[in-house]
Amino acid sequence: MKRKIPVIITSLVGTVLILSVFFPPAERMGEDFSIFFDIIAVFAFFLGGGNLVRIHGNKIYKKARDWGFSAVTLAGFFLMLAAGLFKIANPGGIAADVTAQGSLFQMLYDWIFNPLGASMYALLAFYVASASYRAFRAKNKEATILLIAAFIILLGRTPLGVYATAWIPEQFSLMQIPNLAIWIMTAPNLAGQRAIMIGIALGVISMSLRLILGVERTYLGTDNE
Amino acid sequence: MNNLGLIISFLVIGAGLLWFLLRALQGKEVERRIIFVFIGLAVSVPILFSITFAEKASPIVKAVYDKIENLPDGSRVLISYDYGPSMAPEVEPMSNAFLRHSLAKGHKVYLMGLWATGQSIAATAIDSVVRREFPEKVYGVDFVNLGYKAGNQGVLNVIITDIRKMYLTDVGGIDLDSLPIMDGIKSLRNMNLLMSVGGGFPGIKEWIQFAGDPGHIPVAGGSAAVSAPLLYPYYPTQLLGLLGGIKGAAEYEAELKRHYPQFADTPQPGIKMMGPQTLAHLVIMAFIIIGNISFFVARRRRG
Amino acid sequence: MKNVPISYPTFFIILPLLIILNSALTAQPEVTPIDSAAALIPRNITAKDFKYDRGETIELNWKPADRVNQEMLDGYEVYRAEESSDSFVSIGFTGPDVTRFKDNGVVSEKRYRYRVAAIVGDVPYLSEATPPASPTMELVNFNLANLFIIGCLIAGAVTYFIGHARRGKKLFIRKIAGLEAIDEAIGRATEMGRPILFVPGINDMDDVQTIAGITLLGRVAKVVADYDIKINMPVSRSIVMTTARETIKEAYMGAGRPDAYNDDMVRYITDEQFGYVAAVDGIMVREKPATCFYLGAFYAESLILAETGNSIGAIQIAGTAQPAQLPFFVAACDYTLIGEELFAASAYLSNEPKQLGSLKGQDVGKLLAMVVIIVGVVAATISQSWNIAFFTRLYDLMIKLFTVQN
């Protein structure tokens, strides 16, 4: 029974959502189910926040390994929560928009949260380099083609690419590195991407049908009835 | 002093790469920390010493420039800010360049956003570009900020037939009918050019599908490098031109600087950021070569 | 307004007439048209229910007047009034070359009349009102019939092969290296006595990629429970947290070791993308898992996670349906499940005939896509290059078949 009810709910909601595309009277029901999910997700926020506080609180209480990190996490969590809930230093008072300029919440967002996010994102520059160093090896024919394509794209995105092949006459302009880079991105690359997209779409259909028909139950923790 | 620093930096990077090339010839691999140090140098040296490269506009960028340039003075250009702060470093140079060019050419500029974050970015652009560089331009006459409306492409579906169904006032609550710039504007079809700057959803693709195509209005745009390939198929029929990533922004800024000497001293973040990008690309290429050399040497040794 | 064929005396005769006509037509303050030259007024206006919707739209079509050329026309303005009222209100504007309008502001089963004006300069040349039309709700959206048929074909093939496999027919499924490696990867963690890290992406449970990740978690958790290895699963969505806990708990119960299960195996970090990445990176560097699984929806964080995993020497198995992130995973991980392989993974690992049958059905869809692409490309190329009528018709048919109308 414990497993039957979730399978029935999955089948019912899945079927209604598909039908709502093709049968106008079912449209509203489809919208309702989407709203149900949003409502459940909002309540789940409390679960998430509670879990965060419990796990890190425990770590600090037990002075477990690296408990200092947990203290920083909880301090950040409660500071941001208080700044948002009580609208601390908000020029418009408690009734104002939480993100009003000058409020503590907005300052924390602008001066701590944003730069930290940007720093994490900036790590990509370093990781792209180390991943390229390892990945682009001319181990076989396919890898060599990939390596050449990578070189053309890398050069094509710099002014050097323009200078290096500026001498090629206009009627052969496709052979100029920047144009060649664009061609690689728009022809072979895009064709491959679209093939993957078609495969993904079919995979989604097949997976969804397995869920709706109750054939796939692994997400419930077991395959058994 | 600046030049000396620059020469020393290049010597350090060059000598370092040469050293690791020699090690590669002995079949030795490079540790990831070393690569990180070189990338750090490649990104920071051009910023510290303001290294820039001469840029030449590629046809896809030139097409956007020519469109704004060839529209009759006083044409109506709409710029949509479809991005958030995380994407801003890459695409903000584009939206600023479009805004600068359109105002310099005497066009009327309408700013809006399909992203909630676009509204404040448009307001920042008005402060940092319009008020500073074009103090003579009057709000409501030469430019207007319509702000953000929720609904993604649904907004376009509505304003393609009637702007006032979505926008009764501008971002500051001023009645649109009281703004001279809105005289004769009923829908997007009254615009001469639509430009979207962004890189996510909703973005240029939605502008093409829900405004440009049904309304037969020219669409151009600027996009983050990672999403540009998905837009190339629309060029040149449905999308008249596109600035892809920092490189596109730099090419546009260079074109603008070439034809408008008054912009010689305005900030050109696109051109400025091409220095780090170029050097970082070269360092990555150098390490790919080094990696391949050490790979082949090691393979030969293994027989 | 070049070359207007009206002389000055005629103009002065027509003007008062125009004013009289105008006032007669515009009893309401909302509309002020000047119906001068009938030749400019749009013709054959039809207002009818927009088919196959919820009854919230009326569709208008008209023809431009013979004498109108698009250059002189600024566009068309559409006016609406309820049947019982003569108060026509402007509801929208179209460009000069568009002679169709969809009115979404109507209420089901109410009756409305419309007038369309050709706008020249600031002057509207207004048509007569249409007969009343009312929007009604249809039971089936036949506009999407093509989509429905294609969907039914693929879904039919999937269900057929599920049944086919149930009847005990043998099916050939190609080997997927990334999935074959799962046991090896878990075995390695057992040998090294280090934990396994499982990252289900950063999207919520309403993304089918996350569901695919969780179904794989079910498989992984079973082995983990059997071998008594520590599994660590940081998540960025609360609903994913509760679902994953349930999945792992069931796996431990299935293995007969419910006491070994602990809620803290799955922990919520934050919904924020880079905050989550920072935390997962920290966990990797501190706990040095032997095996990392990245199965779900990933964005810019894919390479940051995979490179950190690589730096600690973990075996890494990734899978996502985000085409832009696949190259990063391929470059930095040992095995990558590319797009559809992620969705096929659970069926593949279960080795159950009915699940494997669904993969076979998927192949029918692929075959269909390939045939359609080839026929479409051939028809388009021949029709464009040699203008052969048959291929042009075929090309048009293909476009019609694969265009979603709205």
Side-chain angles (χ1 to χ4, degrees):
Chain A
M1 197 62 184
K2 198 181 157 201
R3 256 154 247 140
K4 256 188 193 144
I5 293 173
V7 171
I8 292 169
I9 294 175
T10 309
S11 304
L12 182 78
V13 175
T15 312
V16 169
L17 282 174
I18 293 177
L19 293 182
S20 70
V21 177
F22 300 104
F23 303 97
E27 266 178 40
R28 187 139 296 151
M29 243 160 112
E31 285 166 15
D32 287 346
F33 280 139
S34 304
I35 294 169
F36 290 170
F37 179 83
D38 291 344
I39 294 170
I40 295 169
V42 169
F43 280 103
F45 267 133
F46 293 105
L47 281 178
N51 175 254
L52 186 95
V53 174
R54 196 179 58 76
I55 286 191
H56 291 282
N58 255 341
K59 249 182 147 177
I60 298 170
Y61 179 70
K62 288 181 187 160
K63 291 251 163 54
R65 210 185 97 195
D66 301 324
W67 66 271
F69 293 127
S70 296
V72 174
T73 305
L74 284 191
F77 176 77
F78 284 117
L79 179 63
M80 201 77 181
L81 191 70
L85 274 182
F86 305 116
K87 314 257 173 87
I88 299 172
N90 195 318
I94 197 81
D97 180 15
V98 68
T99 58
Q101 282 301 329
S103 64
L104 179 65
F105 186 88
Q106 189 61 27
M107 281 198 284
L108 290 171
Y109 187 88
D110 285 345
W111 305 117
I112 297 182
F113 181 80
N114 257 352
L116 285 178
S119 308
M120 284 307 291
Y121 188 51
L123 282 181
L124 271 177
F126 297 91
Y127 287 152
V128 160
S130 63
S132 312
Y133 170 74
R134 280 199 324 277
F136 292 120
R137 300 274 163 106
K139 289 176 188 163
N140 49 40
K141 235 187 294 170
E142 290 85 355
T144 314
I145 294 173
L146 194 70
L147 175 68
I148 295 168
F151 256 79
I152 294 172
I153 303 278
L154 280 168
L155 258 185
R157 306 300 301 173
T158 66
L160 290 182
V162 180
Y163 300 137
T165 47
W167 52 271
I168 295 178
E170 221 24 59
Q171 61 262 44
F172 302 110
S173 63
L174 182 66
M175 299 314 290
Q176 290 171 353
I177 285 180
N179 295 337
L180 207 54
I182 291 180
W183 179 81
I184 290 173
M185 295 302 273
T186 52
N189 169 58
L190 201 67
Q193 283 218 6
R194 284 188 175 161
I196 292 175
M197 293 292 282
I198 292 172
I200 287 170
L202 291 168
V204 171
I205 294 177
S206 158
M207 170 105 195
S208 309
L209 275 175
R210 287 203 302 271
L211 290 168
I212 290 172
L213 297 174
V215 174
E216 170 69 83
R217 291 153 187 261
T218 331
Y219 66 103
L220 299 172
T222 175
D223 307 336
N224 307 326
E225 301 282 324
Chain B
M1 194 61 200
N2 227 8
N3 282 347
L4 185 69
L6 186 63
I7 291 166
I8 292 172
S9 308
F10 275 129
L11 276 178
V12 169
I13 296 176
L17 287 175
L18 200 65
W19 165 250
F20 286 104
L21 182 71
L22 291 174
R23 280 169 56 90
L25 286 170
Q26 296 162 1
K28 287 182 182 155
E29 292 282 345
V30 184
E31 239 188 286
R32 103 181 34 231
R33 277 177 289 187
I34 305 287
I35 301 177
F36 292 168
V37 169
F38 274 88
I39 288 290
L41 283 173
V43 173
S44 46
V45 166
I47 295 176
L48 287 174
F49 299 105
S50 311
I51 302 175
T52 54
F53 297 92
E55 294 285 346
K56 185 174 170 263
S58 50
I60 193 167
V61 172
K62 187 85 171 37
V64 187
Y65 180 89
D66 288 345
K67 181 70 192 182
I68 296 189
E69 193 61 30
N70 296 333
L71 280 174
D73 291 2
S75 296
R76 294 147 170 174
V77 176
L78 183 139
I79 304 177
S80 182
Y81 290 74
D82 304 331
Y83 59 92
S86 62
M87 220 187 289
E90 191 174 3
V91 297
E92 197 165 42
M94 304 174 193
S95 49
N96 282 350
F98 290 155
L99 182 59
R100 202 168 273 141
H101 189 188
S102 305
L103 288 173
K105 193 66 187 108
H107 299 323
K108 290 177 178 160
V109 184
Y110 303 78
L111 312 181
M112 63 169 278
L114 291 180
W115 284 39
T117 41
Q119 180 169 310
S120 57
I121 293 176
T124 314
I126 289 177
D127 283 339
S128 63
V129 177
V130 188
R131 302 247 187 260
R132 204 169 288 171
E133 297 170 30
F134 302 90
E136 74 286 0
K137 298 284 178 188
V138 181
Y139 185 83
V141 177
D142 302 301
F143 65 99
V144 65
N145 184 3
L146 297 172
Y148 156 79
K149 290 284 170 197
N152 301 331
Q153 69 273 38
V155 173
L156 301 181
N157 255 339
V158 175
I159 62 177
I160 186 79
T161 55
D162 191 351
I163 281 186
R164 283 168 183 78
K165 264 193 181 169
M166 269 286 168
Y167 292 97
L168 282 172
T169 66
D170 75 345
V171 71
I174 304 172
D175 186 358
L176 284 197
D177 291 328
S178 68
L179 297 171
I181 193 169
M182 295 306 291
D183 285 352
I185 303 272
K186 284 188 171 159
S187 72
L188 283 185
R189 294 177 213 271
N190 300 114
M191 297 290 163
N192 302 100
L193 176 63
L194 306 175
M195 316 190 83
S196 163
V197 182
F201 171 84
I204 299 171
K205 197 169 134 192
E206 284 65 39
W207 275 97
I208 295 170
Q209 289 177 340
F210 295 94
D213 273 2
H216 304 282
I217 318 159
V219 178
S223 153
V226 68
S227 29
L230 299 173
L231 295 166
Y232 285 137
Y234 295 104
Y235 167 79
T237 41
Q238 292 155 288
L239 178 67
L240 69 93
L242 178 75
L243 277 59
I246 286 297
K247 175 96 170 79
E251 288 176 12
Y252 200 94
E253 285 174 358
E255 199 66 17
L256 202 57
K257 197 172 154 186
R258 195 168 301 138
H259 295 94
Y260 289 85
Q262 71 262 39
F263 294 137
D265 296 325
T266 50
Q268 273 139 353
I271 292 178
K272 213 172 154 187
M273 279 192 268
M274 269 313 281
Q277 177 162 319
T278 304
L279 219 60
H281 279 203
L282 291 179
V283 167
I284 292 175
M285 286 165 73
F287 275 114
I288 292 176
I289 294 171
I290 290 171
N292 275 284
I293 290 173
S294 64
F295 168 72
F296 280 111
V297 171
R299 191 158 78 170
R300 184 168 295 173
R301 278 194 192 155
R302 283 198 303 269
Chain C
M1 289 290 279
K2 295 173 275 188
N3 306 327
V4 181
I6 297 176
S7 62
Y8 270 89
T10 338
F11 178 74
F12 283 113
I13 298 163
I14 287 175
L15 188 65
L17 285 173
L18 277 180
I19 296 166
I20 295 164
L21 255 174
N22 176 34
S23 54
L25 274 169
T26 56
Q28 293 74 37
E30 294 91 342
V31 187
T32 51
I34 306 168
D35 189 355
S36 68
L40 287 169
I41 295 170
R43 306 173 289 132
N44 299 2
I45 303 154
T46 56
K48 53 181 194 227
D49 168 42
F50 178 69
K51 280 290 173 213
Y52 316 129
D53 70 339
R54 270 202 309 211
E56 292 170 344
T57 311
I58 286 182
E59 183 185 354
L60 288 139
N61 284 287
W62 61 90
K63 285 193 174 141
D66 291 336
R67 272 182 46 210
V68 166
N69 63 48
Q70 285 180 5
E71 277 167 32
M72 65 189 281
L73 202 63
D74 288 324
Y76 296 97
E77 190 156 12
V78 180
Y79 302 87
R80 177 185 66 208
E82 285 187 26
E83 188 186 17
S84 53
S85 152
D86 277 333
S87 165
F88 282 86
V89 179
S90 168
I91 52 163
F93 190 81
T94 78
D97 49 355
V98 181
T99 55
R100 184 178 179 224
F101 185 85
K102 283 204 298 192
D103 178 11
N104 303 315
V106 287
V107 179
S108 188
E109 307 303 334
K110 265 196 174 179
R111 291 163 71 81
Y112 300 90
R113 293 181 303 147
Y114 292 88
R115 300 176 82 174
V116 179
I119 311 287
V120 179
D122 275 340
V123 186
Y125 293 89
L126 199 68
S127 74
E128 286 298 314
T130 62
S134 83
T136 48
M137 176 161 77
E138 284 80 19
L139 290 178
V140 183
N141 183 355
F142 283 105
N143 276 336
L144 298 178
N146 51 353
L147 199 66
F148 186 73
I149 292 167
I150 296 166
C152 282
L153 273 178
I154 297 168
V158 172
T159 354
Y160 169 77
F161 278 102
I162 289 177
H164 188 74
R166 263 187 182 147
R167 288 191 293 273
K169 297 276 167 21
K170 272 264 172 219
L171 295 171
F172 168 76
I173 305 286
R174 76 177 164 90
K175 270 196 182 311
I176 300 177
L179 296 174
E180 296 285 319
I182 286 185
D183 283 343
E184 174 203 332
I186 299 175
R188 186 168 176 264
T190 323
E191 284 164 21
M192 297 174 79
R194 290 215 223 133
I196 285 174
L197 181 82
F198 195 104
V199 184
I202 61 164
N203 275 3
D204 218 327
M205 281 309 288
D206 58 346
D207 189 322
V208 70
Q209 297 177 72
T210 315
I211 301 178
I214 296 290
T215 58
L216 270 170
L217 171 72
R219 307 279 165 202
V220 172
K222 239 184 191 176
V223 189
V224 164
D226 283 338
Y227 290 104
D228 193 21
I229 316 161
K230 193 181 163 205
I231 185 166
N232 198 343
M233 186 172 176
V235 297
S236 75
R237 305 283 165 164
S238 309
I239 297 185
V240 179
M241 179 185 77
T242 38
T243 318
R245 276 183 179 168
E246 211 49 42
T247 306
I248 297 179
K249 197 196 245 169
E250 288 291 335
Y252 271 82
M253 280 167 65
R257 311 180 55 242
D259 49 308
Y261 170 77
N262 175 358
D263 259 356
D264 291 352
M265 288 171 174
V266 186
R267 51 179 150 157
Y268 172 78
I269 305 278
T270 167
D271 275 46
E272 212 286 318
Q273 183 184 20
F274 289 112
Y276 177 66
V277 179
V280 177
D281 268 7
I283 291 169
M284 280 193 211
V285 174
R286 286 193 299 272
E287 299 185 5
K288 297 214 165 27
T291 307
C292 297
F293 291 97
Y294 312 108
L295 300 164
F298 291 88
Y299 298 86
E301 69 282 358
S302 60
L303 188 66
I304 303 180
L305 294 175
E307 271 297 289
T308 310
N310 185 283
S311 74
I312 56 165
I315 281 203
Q316 306 198 91
I317 298 178
T320 186
Q322 300 293 127
Q325 304 308 321
L326 283 167
F328 297 127
F329 277 143
V330 171
C333 293
D334 300 278
Y335 300 97
T336 306
L337 303 173
I338 296 172
E340 59 181 309
E341 291 179 345
L342 172 68
F343 302 117
S346 174
Y348 181 93
L349 289 175
S350 72
N351 220 9
E352 271 178 58
K354 52 186 179 181
Q355 291 224 40
L356 292 176
S358 71
L359 301 186
K360 204 79 193 165
Q362 206 175 309
D363 285 349
V364 174
K366 246 188 241 176
L367 185 72
L368 188 76
M370 280 194 264
V371 171
V372 166
I373 289 171
I374 293 170
V375 172
V377 167
V378 169
T381 311
I382 297 180
S383 112
Q384 296 275 314
S385 312
W386 295 285
N387 204 13
I388 298 173
F390 169 75
F391 286 98
T392 310
R393 275 204 302 276
L394 181 65
Y395 175 63
D396 291 341
L397 178 74
M398 300 287 285
I399 295 280
K400 214 172 158 188
L401 269 179
F402 293 95
T403 304
V404 177
Q405 292 170 15
N406 50 35

